């Protein structure tokens, strides 16, 4: 029985070491459930009460996060200048993590047809999407990065949902970064092509009426 108590406590401590907020809440909830059972078995009722309250708090936050993970009211896309100083700061701060998931990433803001988007929730940056014109009509994604706190979410999807961000620039196809670690594009309607994923965009109203 003591091993159960120690295991529950270890899971709680481990949860607090997580940088991903969704994983933190989920692990903390598991630890609470284990400690509820342990404290009930040895009849330590204050411990039961504490962990019931903590479990309820975790469930409340998990429900909110899961309900809004694909909500455009929660995550907004903000276009910034390719030479924007805050964008440059964000890329510097997360440089090591960016290179971990995007080996060989290089950003050239002087390349043809460059675009830069920040995905934000309230005033917090949760993702960065950078692209350039690879060939006429094809937008090559240079970077699709999510900050560690939101790594269990896919905020980049909000950029691709708004196809007008690309079609208004004359693009009819979007290509994901090659060799990206743990890509998620198959869940967004992209199709695999070589070591990348490709999304064919609908024609823009302007081009359709031209």
């Amino acid at each position: 029985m003591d091993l159960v108590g120690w295991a529950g406590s270890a899971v709680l401590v481990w949860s607090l070491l997580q940088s991903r907020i969704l994983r933190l809440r989920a692990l903390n909830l598991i630890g609470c459930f284990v400690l509820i059972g342990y404290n009930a078995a040895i009849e330590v009722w204050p411990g039961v009460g504490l962990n019931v309250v903590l479990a309820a708090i975790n469930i409340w936050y998990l429900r909110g996060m899961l309900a809004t993970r694909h909500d455009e009211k929660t995550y907004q896309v903000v276009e910034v200048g390719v030479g924007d100083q805050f964008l440059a700061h964000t890329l510097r701060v997360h440089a090591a993590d960016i290179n971990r998931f995007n080996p060989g990433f290089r950003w050239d803001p002087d390349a043809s047809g460059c675009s830069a988007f920040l995905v934000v929730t309230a005033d917090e940056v949760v993702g960065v999407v950078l692209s350039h014109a690879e060939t006429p009509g094809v937008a090559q994604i240079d970077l699709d990065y999510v900050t560690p706190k939101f790594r269990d979410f896919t905020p980049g999807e909000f950029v691709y949902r708004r196809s007008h961000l690309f079609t208004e620039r004359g693009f009819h196809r979007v290509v994901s970064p090659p060799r990206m670690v743990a890509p998620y594009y198959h869940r967004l309607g992209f199709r695999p092509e070589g070591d990348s994923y490709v999304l064919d965009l609908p024609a823009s109203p302007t081009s359709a009426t031209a």
Side-chain angles (χ1 to χ4, degrees):
M1 186 60 67
D2 284 345
L3 289 177
V4 173
W6 282 111
S9 299
V11 172
L12 281 183
V13 172
W14 186 33
S15 73
L16 297 176
L17 297 175
Q18 305 302 310
S19 59
R20 302 185 184 187
I21 188 168
L22 184 63
R23 184 176 296 183
L24 184 155
R25 290 290 180 186
L27 287 173
N28 201 276
L29 179 61
I30 293 171
C32 288
F33 282 149
V34 172
L35 290 176
I36 288 171
Y38 170 73
N39 284 295
I42 63 175
E43 300 183 349
V44 178
W45 304 118
V48 172
L50 171 63
N51 283 284
V52 166
V53 171
L54 292 178
I57 292 172
N58 283 314
I59 291 171
W60 173 266
Y61 278 102
L62 281 169
R63 179 177 177 275
M65 284 186 284
L66 294 174
T68 61
R69 66 189 306 177
H70 302 294
D71 184 6
E72 292 192 20
K73 294 180 180 178
T74 303
Y75 299 94
Q76 292 83 42
V77 178
V78 179
E79 184 172 6
V80 297
V82 295
D84 183 84
Q85 290 300 307
F86 183 71
L87 171 63
H89 170 74
T90 302
L91 295 178
R92 284 195 301 270
V93 169
H94 297 284
D97 197 43
I98 287 173
N99 286 322
R100 175 186 169 197
F101 290 93
N102 298 266
F105 165 71
R106 295 291 182 273
W107 173 235
D108 180 9
D110 296 322
S112 174
C114 284
S115 299
F117 305 97
L118 298 178
V119 184
V120 302
T121 179
D123 61 351
E124 182 174 8
V125 174
V126 302
V128 180
V129 176
L130 306 175
S131 70
H132 73 275
E134 180 67 16
T135 58
V138 178
Q140 173 64 59
I141 303 300
D142 296 292
L143 178 67
D144 185 343
Y145 174 71
V146 183
T147 58
K149 182 178 177 181
F150 294 88
R151 190 61 47 76
D152 293 314
F153 302 88
T154 55
E157 71 178 278
F158 298 102
V159 176
Y160 310 120
R161 276 189 192 178
R162 303 178 184 185
S163 60
H164 67 86
L165 294 173
F166 296 100
T167 56
E168 288 177 353
R169 292 169 167 79
F171 296 117
H172 58 78
R173 177 174 293 185
V174 178
V175 181
S176 73
R179 300 178 300 280
M180 179 180 175
V181 177
Y184 64 97
Y185 298 100
H186 58 284
R187 303 203 298 268
L188 302 180
F190 284 68
R191 56 182 171 80
E193 188 173 286
D195 58 358
S196 299
Y197 289 81
V198 174
L199 176 67
D200 293 313
L201 301 174
S204 67
T206 302
S207 62
T209 56

